[in-house]
Amino acid sequence: MKLLLKTIFICITTLLFVACQSQKENKIKNELIYASTKDIRDINPHLYGGEMAAQNMVFESLVINTKNGIKPNLAKSWKISNNGKTYTFKLREDVKFSDGLIFDANVVKSNFDAILKNKVRHAWLELINEIISTKVIDKFTFELNLKNAYYPTLTELAMTRPFRFISTKCFKNNQTKNGVKCYVGTGPWILKEHKKNDYALFVRNNNYWNNKTKIEKIKWRVIPNHQSILLSLQKGEIDLIFGADGDMINSDAFSMLEKSNKVKTKLSNPIASRAILINTKREITKDLEVRKALEHAVNKQAIIKGILNNKETIANTLFSKTTPYCNIDLPIKTFNVNLAKKILDKDGWIINKDTNIREKDGKQLILKLYYNANNAQEKTISEYIQSNLKDIGIDLKIIGEEKQSFLDRQQNGNFDLQYSLSWGVPYDPQSFISSWRIPAHGDYQAQLGLNKKEWLDKTISDILIETNKEIRANLYKEIFSYIHKEDVYIPISYSRTKVVYNPILKDVGFNLSQYEIPFEKMYFEKSK
């Protein structure tokens, strides 16, 4: 009897387990688990310490950048008047922050004014310097007044930061520059939990003014090690890896996963420029002939084939010809070891046969290249360039640094060479070149040795307020031709965002900006 009861119990338990499993399998998954090497940190949309993908989930802008141009968002329409210097926005009247606060013109003005109180920090974005006043016309009409007709105005208002809107209940002393009390936006997601360097949990905003997300939750898991991310993916513990430039997944791993039947992969169109920045004010690299030799010494095609697995296209100029205002014919500087050697020989850098390092006036040709130590792909590319330069008698020291140290070095200019990545559309070219005039940026520091640096900065300023598109295009041509001739950058390739995801996750795609992840469009189908 005991044996019979035990058998019946086992059968019932088994049937219940099978039934539960069947029910579980037919249930649509409602939580997306995203893995990142980085914590979301402080997602105050008016500052720069947080992850942009997380800021984009919670906070929204007046307008949005799309592949088809600027589209309405929190502003349903706008009018440009006063010779391009006044923008009048009609706001949507059905938007609330997730804390219940009504989104209106007073809130818009308060946010703009808070951003402008931190003007020095935002000076890289020329729009900040152009704003002279903000005005509430009526409850749902907001006016922005500029000094000049600044052509990228709408593009920059649509960027992930700083012109996003946070509930004024989160302000500290009517400001946001010294931090905020909460992270409340109008976006499709609400940040519910955050355990630093472990995870962040975002839940669906059920009162969202636009289309509500099909997925209920996004769990942002922090996994600092790239190999651990891949292992978690293979175990089915995560649903999505999303990133550019090897910060989440390198090209080798991506190519391997492309061949797998267990996951899906996607590549974006080319989005940003991968390059090596050469400092024109350093003792050795201030010599234009040395910079010319460096241009011809790097085998870009081998990097693309051997390291990037042919996932990117070779960059012969700093910006791709598909970038606005960058369809310019410039001389191509091909990989040519013999030419690089001849340039250095003629410049007086002679090989020491004992050390195989070139010398001039008793000084060795030793350079230092710095890269982000958290990016395995940058390390591999730096090692390959080190090998290239050794072939022409240059001793290249490569130094990986933690991200903050790497950024600090950009600000103080203490580098010969530095790994560089442009910001991609919609930031390229106007916002990226605007930052060339700001001392806190590596590009500014690297350009200080140029004879025409003052002209370069002035011309960039002129471009940004030039109303005639043809004149603007000619000015762009002038500055890009000059930078190309002066060999300030060694363009390597045009990078692409890589995505690996669970096959049951649908509508995985890309926003115009490489820093945003369109979680709101994704959904799970029923598992089979």
Side-chain angles (χ1 to χ4, degrees):
M1 179 61 73
K2 284 184 179 180
L3 181 61
L4 179 60
L5 288 172
K6 186 176 181 181
T7 303
I8 292 170
F9 176 76
I10 291 170
C11 289
I12 292 171
T13 305
T14 303
L15 287 169
L16 285 171
F17 176 76
V18 171
C20 288
Q21 283 296 105
S22 176
Q23 187 178 15
K24 184 179 177 182
E25 285 172 4
N26 288 327
K27 189 177 179 182
I28 297 175
K29 187 172 161 67
N30 64 15
E31 181 180 68
L32 187 158
I33 302 175
Y34 164 68
S36 174
T37 56
K38 304 164 189 172
D39 183 60
I40 65 166
R41 303 184 304 283
D42 174 11
I43 63 168
N44 177 354
H46 298 169
L47 294 179
Y48 302 92
E51 280 300 294
M52 293 170 77
Q55 289 171 316
N56 185 61
M57 295 171 73
V58 177
F59 307 105
E60 296 184 297
S61 52
L62 291 174
V63 293
I64 54 173
N65 288 308
T66 75
K67 62 182 180 181
N68 298 316
I70 303 292
K71 300 292 182 185
N73 199 42
L74 294 178
K76 60 184 179 182
S77 65
W78 57 91
K79 182 178 71 174
I80 305 172
S81 58
N82 188 24
N83 296 318
K85 292 185 284 190
T86 297
Y87 286 73
T88 306
F89 295 92
K90 288 289 183 182
L91 308 179
R92 295 187 64 92
E93 299 177 17
D94 56 349
V95 179
K96 288 184 180 180
F97 289 88
S98 56
D99 62 2
L101 179 71
I102 294 172
F103 175 81
D104 61 17
N106 286 299
V107 169
V108 172
K109 179 173 170 55
S110 295
N111 271 260
F112 266 83
D113 292 349
I115 294 164
L116 291 168
K117 284 176 184 174
N118 200 14
K119 194 171 183 178
V120 173
R121 179 65 185 88
H122 304 305
W124 64 274
L125 200 65
E126 183 59 23
L127 178 56
I128 286 286
N129 305 313
E130 293 295 330
I131 296 172
I132 55 174
S133 69
T134 61
K135 187 177 180 181
V136 174
I137 304 299
D138 60 41
K139 187 171 178 62
F140 293 103
T141 309
F142 171 75
E143 183 180 279
L144 185 66
N145 293 291
L146 310 178
K147 296 180 201 171
N148 300 286
Y150 181 65
Y151 93 86
T153 296
L154 292 173
T155 298
E156 294 188 353
L157 287 178
M159 289 174 180
T160 317
R161 56 194 185 196
F163 295 107
R164 297 279 174 120
F165 299 98
I166 183 170
S167 171
T168 52
K169 295 178 184 178
C170 297
F171 285 23
K172 288 183 177 179
N173 301 318
N174 297 318
Q175 298 183 37
T176 55
K177 68 178 183 179
N178 297 316
V180 292
K181 294 184 285 188
C182 52
Y183 301 125
V184 175
T186 61
W189 304 99
I190 297 169
L191 177 61
K192 186 174 183 181
E193 297 175 24
H194 178 210
K195 188 174 180 182
K196 189 176 179 181
N197 295 323
D198 187 0
Y199 72 90
L201 181 64
F202 296 86
V203 297
R204 179 169 60 203
N205 180 358
N206 287 321
N207 296 313
Y208 185 46
W209 63 272
N210 205 343
N211 297 322
K212 294 181 183 63
T213 64
K214 294 180 182 178
I215 293 173
E216 292 179 15
K217 302 174 186 176
I218 304 284
K219 189 170 187 179
W220 180 303
R221 280 189 57 194
V222 182
I223 306 177
N225 183 278
H226 295 83
Q227 293 302 319
S228 298
I229 285 182
L230 290 175
L231 189 61
S232 294
L233 180 74
Q234 289 162 352
K235 287 180 177 178
E237 295 172 349
I238 59 177
D239 300 303
L240 179 70
I241 304 173
F242 193 110
D245 190 36
D247 54 353
M248 298 302 164
I249 183 168
N250 64 34
S251 294
D252 279 341
F254 185 82
S255 294
M256 177 192 74
L257 290 166
E258 259 187 325
K259 299 168 187 174
S260 166
N261 293 323
K262 295 181 179 179
V263 294
K264 293 271 190 181
T265 59
K266 272 190 180 179
L267 272 173
S268 73
N269 292 326
I271 47 161
S273 305
R274 189 192 304 281
I276 301 300
L277 183 59
I278 309 176
N279 196 333
T280 63
K281 67 174 181 178
R282 299 283 278 185
E283 184 178 3
I284 294 176
T285 51
K286 68 182 180 183
D287 183 346
L288 178 58
E289 297 305 305
V290 171
R291 301 201 300 273
K292 281 183 181 177
L294 293 173
E295 291 279 1
H296 294 291
V298 177
N299 190 341
K300 304 174 189 180
Q301 193 59 58
I303 290 172
I304 291 167
K305 183 179 179 182
I307 300 173
L308 303 174
N309 289 298
N310 289 318
K311 300 300 181 193
E312 298 185 8
T313 51
I314 195 165
N316 292 314
T317 53
L318 178 58
F319 293 109
S320 163
K321 287 192 174 186
T322 59
T323 304
Y325 297 101
C326 296
N327 189 10
I328 304 166
D329 288 325
L330 296 170
I332 294 175
K333 298 167 184 180
T334 57
F335 171 60
N336 189 327
V337 173
N338 289 331
L339 177 57
K341 288 178 178 178
K342 285 178 183 176
I343 291 170
L344 292 174
D345 286 340
K346 189 176 179 181
D347 198 39
W349 290 99
I350 308 303
I351 285 278
N352 181 316
K353 293 183 180 178
D354 293 327
T355 62
N356 286 322
I357 299 172
R358 290 181 181 269
E359 296 178 358
K360 180 180 180 179
D361 300 329
K363 183 166 185 66
Q364 290 184 306
L365 213 174
I366 299 174
L367 300 174
K368 292 181 180 178
L369 185 156
Y370 296 87
Y371 65 91
N372 179 359
N374 297 326
N375 191 310
Q377 195 159 270
E378 288 187 18
K379 180 176 188 291
T380 308
I381 290 173
S382 299
E383 287 171 343
Y384 189 80
I385 292 173
Q386 181 184 50
S387 172
N388 282 166
L389 298 195
K390 184 178 180 181
D391 292 341
I392 64 168
I394 297 177
D395 183 9
L396 181 68
K397 310 292 186 185
I398 59 171
I399 301 110
E401 296 185 311
E402 291 302 312
K403 189 171 183 180
Q404 191 54 55
S405 298
F406 180 78
L407 295 174
D408 290 343
R409 193 171 295 280
Q410 287 184 343
Q411 294 181 26
N412 59 39
N414 186 20
F415 61 89
D416 298 319
L417 307 175
Q418 194 174 50
Y419 196 95
S420 172
L421 193 71
S422 76
W423 304 339
V425 175
Y427 300 86
D428 293 349
Q430 78 289 331
S431 303
F432 187 59
I433 66 162
S434 177
S435 75
W436 290 3
R437 303 167 302 155
I438 308 301
H441 288 257
D443 305 85
Y444 173 91
Q445 297 293 340
Q447 294 165 8
L448 279 178
L450 296 175
N451 291 331
K452 294 171 64 176
K453 173 61 174 166
E454 187 176 339
W455 165 85
L456 179 64
D457 290 354
K458 181 183 182 305
T459 306
I460 290 170
S461 297
D462 291 344
I463 285 171
L464 297 173
I465 58 173
E466 177 53 60
T467 56
N468 185 300
K469 193 171 182 180
E470 189 176 337
I471 295 173
R472 194 189 304 151
N474 287 331
L475 291 174
Y476 268 117
K477 184 176 181 179
E478 285 183 29
I479 67 167
F480 291 145
S481 298
Y482 178 64
I483 285 292
H484 188 76
K485 181 171 72 79
E486 291 293 324
D487 298 307
V488 183
Y489 299 85
I490 305 174
I492 303 294
S493 66
Y494 302 123
S495 69
R496 303 168 78 180
T497 298
K498 305 172 188 72
V499 185
V500 183
Y501 57 99
N502 186 333
I504 65 169
L505 184 62
K506 302 301 176 184
D507 273 9
V508 177
F510 306 95
N511 280 0
L512 199 63
S513 168
Q514 63 177 320
Y515 304 112
E516 299 176 359
I517 304 175
F519 290 114
E520 68 280 359
K521 297 173 186 174
M522 302 177 195
Y523 67 95
F524 287 102
E525 68 175 5
K526 286 183 180 179
S527 55
K528 297 175 182 178

